[in-house]
Every structure is written in C-alpha cells, then in structure tokens.
Amino acid sequence: MEGIRDIQHEQIERRKERVRRTWRYQRVDHIPLNFFLDDFSTYSLREQCRSGEAQFEVNVRSIDRLLRLLPDDYIPAARVWPGYITIATMFGLQAHWSEDPNQAPGVADHPIRDMEQVYGLKPPDRHSGLMSFNLRWLKFFADNLPGDVSLTGIDLGGPINTAKDLLDTNLLYTAFYDSPEACHHFLDLAAEVQIRCYEDILAAVGDINRLTCIDFAPAWAPEGHKGFVSDDVCASYSPEVFQTFSRPYNNQILKRWPGGRIHNCGPHPSIDLYLDHQPPLNGLNCSFRYTRAELPQIKRAFKRRGIVEFMFDNEETPAEIIQGYEQIADGLAPEVVGIPIVWLTDSWSDREIRELYHGLLDIAERYAREIHWQYEP
C-alpha cells in the first residue's frame, strides 16, 4: 500500500469486517487496533483550529503516513476539529485561548448564573458560531478525499457538556437538586440543538456511512451503530443524577441514531448504566489513564455485550502503551473486548510506530484467543 492515493478498497473492507465481527462478539484473528496521528510540526493546534486549509493538509499527511507504516488494522479517518466548544459558540460564547498554542480552547465565561435565565434561551441559528466553519470544511473533506477515507463528526460533547459550558460551575451541580425543572428545560433545549447540528453534519457529508460515527471518535463504528454521545461530566456525579439528567437526553439523540458508544474519559461511577440507554449502546469510549482502576467493574457491567475503547491519549510512551494494553487484556479477558486507540504525534519516528504496532498485535492475537466469543463463525 503506497499511501492515500493508492488505498486498496478490499483491504479497508477486510479491516472493517474485523471491527464488525468484534462488536458482535464473533471470533476474530485479533482484536482490532486503532491509530490516529496528530501533527503539529507545521501548524500549532490553534492555527489548525482556525484554518480548514491547514487541517486538510495535516490530515492528508498523517493519513498517508499511517497507511504506509501500518500493515493492517488502520481504517483511515480525517477529522475537522475546531475545539470542544461548537455548541457554546452557537449560543454566543467566545473561545478562550491560553498562552499555549497547542492547548485546546475553552469558553471565556459561563453566562448563566441563575437558573431562571434558561427560560429565556432560544435555539440558535443552525449555522451560527463555529457550525458554519464545520459544515463548510466537512463538505470540502468529503468532496476531496477518497471514499475509503472516513470522516469523523464534529466534537459536540453532549447535553450535559453544553450545560457545563453555559452554566456557572457551582450552579451546574446545585441545580440538579435546587432547580430540577429548569435543568430539564435546559437539557431538552441542548439536545434539540445538538440533534439539529448532527442533521446538518450528515447533510454536509452526504452519507452517514462516510462517518466513523456522528461525533468526534476516529475509531470506525459499524453501519447501524453510528450513534455517539459524550458525557465527561458524569465522572463527577452519582448514578442517580446520571439516570435523571444524562440518560434521558442522550436517549433523544440515540433514538435518531441508535447504537454506538458513550464517551467519558473517566472515572465511571455510572458504569453499570452506560449500555442500558434506549435504544441500547454497544460500548464505551474512554481514556486508559482515567479508567484503568475500574477494569473489574467494566468486566462485570460489559460482560459479552459491550466493547470498550481505551484511548492512549496522554503522551504515554511506547512501553507504557504496551504495558497498558497488557493490563487491559489481562483484566478483561475472557469476558470483555478492550480495543486500544493510540493517539500518536509527529514526534513519533517511523520505527517507533511500526514497533508499537507489532507489540500491540502480539497482545491482540493472544487476547482474541482468550475471549469467550458469544457467536461462532
């Protein structure tokens, strides 16, 4: 395989079939491995967030490199990423950048300081804030990349994440108890806005199966399982709050795009509730660093019915990634499939990437032999 200009459709399809079978708990030769390459050698994160041209150039370079280096597993995906704050900007919030050009932007202010304010909010214009940028460049990527290069959706967070951006931090947590009706009113609006964003994203791309999923994850999800909701805030509150204020509004999204994954970096006080959305979810996308202490709970909650994607996204060394995936395999086999997602940067050499792939593959082959597959071929 000579890179992005010479993608072999049959090889990409074979890799996708391995993912499909894994999600169904059907036997595979090895657990799928996922890689995504961030490259800040030419443009900083800030420069990329502000320039679709820069993002396109960097995506093409990164995809081409991984296609040439990785002999199997890699399903190429390009990502339009303006930061985590698209929906906040649609409500008029401004991006706040730190002095570090490679730190993601946040919001400059949390404007809602009294829950009565939420009753004055109206759905913003569909192309307001960063959405116009997102849609323009998603369409450009779809039109100018080969069909075997998937696209990620836009990183929209979830209804509770939107509440985190707009509500004063202390108010967010006290409102669950002091102003539940106002919370429900706001979250209903946030879910409505997010659904409209996904509709426009799909219109820009043209086909949901061109996407890895409806949101940010670069790991390809099988057809019919493209749903995705982010809920990092649930790491900090009880399962009772999750049941009352997270799951009903995640469900509004998932009713439109059923199946797929929930994202929370970790920890996971509501792990037993994740898969039981309506309709049910297929798995969890999380950060290994913030989840590794909870492997026994995951093994119980996800037993032969859900996959877990562990992102190595905290600048782990090759040795730490190998050791971490061994810990996952040893901790979850034979009941639960754990899939690694390695976030590489331009600092990795070709040799390091190849060696990491083969080190992970050895574990993935052994792991697959140990899983109690639900369905045989």
Side-chain angles (χ1 to χ4, degrees), residues 61-130:
R61 184 165 64 237
S62 295
I63 291 169
D64 180 76
R65 186 180 179 201
L66 292 183
L67 282 169
R68 288 186 287 105
L69 291 177
L70 301 176
D72 199 353
D73 286 286
Y74 179 57
I75 299 171
R79 185 172 71 142
V80 175
W81 199 79
Y84 307 102
I85 55 173
T86 286
I87 292 181
T89 66
M90 295 174 72
F91 281 100
L93 276 67
Q94 299 300 309
H96 170 72
W97 292 92
S98 73
E99 294 182 358
D100 181 354
N102 284 318
Q103 183 175 352
V107 293
D109 188 28
H110 303 279
I112 297 176
R113 301 182 182 278
D114 184 317
M115 287 305 292
E116 288 300 312
Q117 291 175 255
V118 304
Y119 294 106
L121 293 174
K122 304 295 182 186
D125 181 88
R126 297 173 78 127
H127 291 186
S128 59
L130 286 167

Side-chain angles (χ1 to χ4, degrees), residues 135-156:
L135 298 175
R136 180 169 71 254
W137 286 102
L138 277 171
K139 186 177 189 311
F140 182 88
F141 277 41
D143 290 344
N144 289 277
L145 288 170
D148 282 310
V149 175
S150 297
L151 307 177
T152 76
I154 299 298
D155 195 345
L156 296 184

Side-chain angles (χ1 to χ4, degrees), residues 37-334:
L37 175 58
D38 274 325
D39 184 345
F40 304 120
S41 61
T42 307
Y43 307 101
S44 68
L45 177 63
R46 184 181 308 179
E47 290 171 323
Q48 291 183 38
C49 284
R50 291 174 169 174
S51 169
E53 292 93 342
Q55 290 200 39
F56 186 78
E57 176 186 330
V58 169
N59 270 278
V60 168
R61 184 165 64 237
S62 295
I63 291 169
D64 180 76
R65 186 180 179 201
L66 292 183
L67 282 169
R68 288 186 287 105
L69 291 177
L70 301 176
D72 199 353
D73 286 286
Y74 179 57
I75 299 171
R79 185 172 71 142
V80 175
W81 199 79
Y84 307 102
I85 55 173
T86 286
I87 292 181
T89 66
M90 295 174 72
F91 281 100
L93 276 67
Q94 299 300 309
H96 170 72
W97 292 92
S98 73
E99 294 182 358
D100 181 354
N102 284 318
Q103 183 175 352
V107 293
D109 188 28
H110 303 279
I112 297 176
R113 301 182 182 278
D114 184 317
M115 287 305 292
E116 288 300 312
Q117 291 175 255
V118 304
Y119 294 106
L121 293 174
K122 304 295 182 186
D125 181 88
R126 297 173 78 127
H127 291 186
S128 59
L130 286 167
M131 271 305 287
S132 58
F133 174 94
N134 297 336
L135 298 175
R136 180 169 71 254
W137 286 102
L138 277 171
K139 186 177 189 311
F140 182 88
F141 277 41
D143 290 344
N144 289 277
L145 288 170
D148 282 310
V149 175
S150 297
L151 307 177
T152 76
I154 299 298
D155 195 345
L156 296 184
I160 283 281
N161 292 46
T162 298
K164 170 186 66 66
D165 286 339
L166 269 67
L167 272 61
D168 172 77
T169 301
N170 290 331
L171 180 62
L172 171 63
Y173 290 97
T174 60
F176 293 139
Y177 305 97
D178 297 339
S179 306
E181 291 185 6
C183 272
H184 287 298
H185 177 86
F186 177 85
L187 292 168
D188 193 59
L189 172 63
E192 175 189 347
V193 172
Q194 191 159 343
I195 287 169
R196 290 182 180 182
C197 289
Y198 289 138
E199 290 172 344
D200 291 337
I201 287 166
L202 291 170
V205 171
D207 180 1
I208 192 170
N209 289 322
R210 185 70 191 274
L211 295 173
T212 58
C213 67
I214 60 173
D215 210 90
F216 80 89
W220 183 83
E223 301 85 350
H225 305 278
K226 299 293 187 181
F228 195 97
V229 289
S230 285
D231 202 342
D232 283 300
V233 186
C234 80
S236 60
Y237 52 69
S238 70
E240 292 73 24
V241 171
F242 181 85
Q243 284 182 296
T244 304
F245 294 103
S246 281
R247 200 160 60 179
Y249 302 98
N250 296 341
N251 286 342
Q252 289 188 26
I253 296 168
L254 296 169
K255 285 176 182 175
R256 294 290 305 277
W257 300 284
R261 296 157 286 179
I262 184 170
H263 167 79
N264 171 26
C265 285
H268 305 277
S270 300
I271 188 69
D272 292 315
L273 304 174
Y274 284 171
L275 296 181
D276 296 324
H277 279 72
Q278 293 300 323
L281 282 169
N282 299 101
L284 166 66
N285 175 280
C286 62
S287 175
F288 173 71
R289 173 176 291 185
Y290 304 113
T291 303
R292 57 188 171 189
E294 299 179 78
L295 295 180
Q297 294 92 322
I298 290 174
K299 188 173 185 177
R300 181 194 67 244
F302 280 57
K303 181 178 179 180
R304 281 182 257 178
R305 70 188 190 109
I307 57 94
V308 184
E309 295 172 343
F310 292 89
M311 295 188 295
F312 291 90
D313 57 346
N314 285 279
E315 299 182 350
E316 289 93 348
T317 66
E320 288 171 335
I321 294 170
I322 293 291
Q323 184 180 28
Y325 194 42
E326 287 178 334
Q327 183 180 343
I328 290 165
D330 293 341
L332 296 184

